[in-house]
Amino acid sequence: MIFMASQTPIPPPVAPKTRPPEDDGGSVVAEKQLQRTKPPQMYQVVMLNDDYTPMEFVVVVIQEFFNKDRETATQIMLKIHLDGKGICGVYPRDIAATKVQQVQEAARQAGHPLQCVSEPAD
């Protein structure tokens, strides 16, 4: 079955072209200013000392999750052991939270009470 229009379609009306009014010299033009985004707030991942987690386990965790070499990981572990806490790395908030979760999950699976927190970096 074929349907035919009884009338030819009418095109939509076209708006008349208008020119902007002439500039009288008193106009004010706002200049576009560059907006710079601030860098994200950084958070430090801090491992806390306890009397039960083996030092070697702490070194391995630092190497694995914070990509530190053995010597640097050992220095961080000794700082944690002697000062009660040590900074393992500084990251944006989401990455720091993920690192904390990874460390706590690894410690839980190994049966150690190792604690790790993130706090805003100064």
Side-chain angles (χ1 to χ4, degrees):
M1 195 176 237
I2 299 174
F3 294 100
M4 302 194 89
S6 59
Q7 296 178 359
T8 307
I10 301 171
V14 178
K17 294 182 180 180
T18 59
R19 297 182 114 179
E22 293 296 320
D23 186 13
D24 61 357
S27 299
V28 177
V29 177
E31 291 186 26
K32 187 175 183 179
Q33 294 182 353
L34 293 176
Q35 292 183 344
R36 300 207 186 265
T37 57
K38 293 192 291 186
Q41 169 72 39
M42 300 300 277
Y43 286 76
Q44 52 193 16
V45 178
V46 179
M47 228 178 263
L48 307 176
N49 187 40
D50 64 70
D51 294 334
Y52 303 101
T53 304
M55 292 180 181
E56 185 59 32
F57 178 78
V58 175
V59 170
V60 170
V61 166
I62 294 170
Q63 285 180 287
E64 184 175 337
F65 296 114
F66 299 98
N67 299 320
K68 305 290 185 189
D69 58 59
R70 185 156 186 82
E71 183 178 332
T72 304
T74 302
Q75 289 174 352
I76 294 170
M77 178 274 300
L78 288 173
K79 177 136 179 78
I80 294 166
H81 182 69
L82 297 174
D83 297 345
K85 65 180 183 176
I87 299 170
C88 298
V90 179
Y91 306 95
R93 184 181 66 199
D94 294 342
I95 295 173
T98 301
K99 298 271 186 196
V100 168
Q101 284 180 326
Q102 290 174 329
V103 169
Q104 289 181 335
E105 179 63 21
R108 186 187 63 74
Q109 286 182 354
H112 300 301
L114 181 63
Q115 290 297 305
C116 187
V117 297
S118 67
E119 54 190 37
D122 296 330

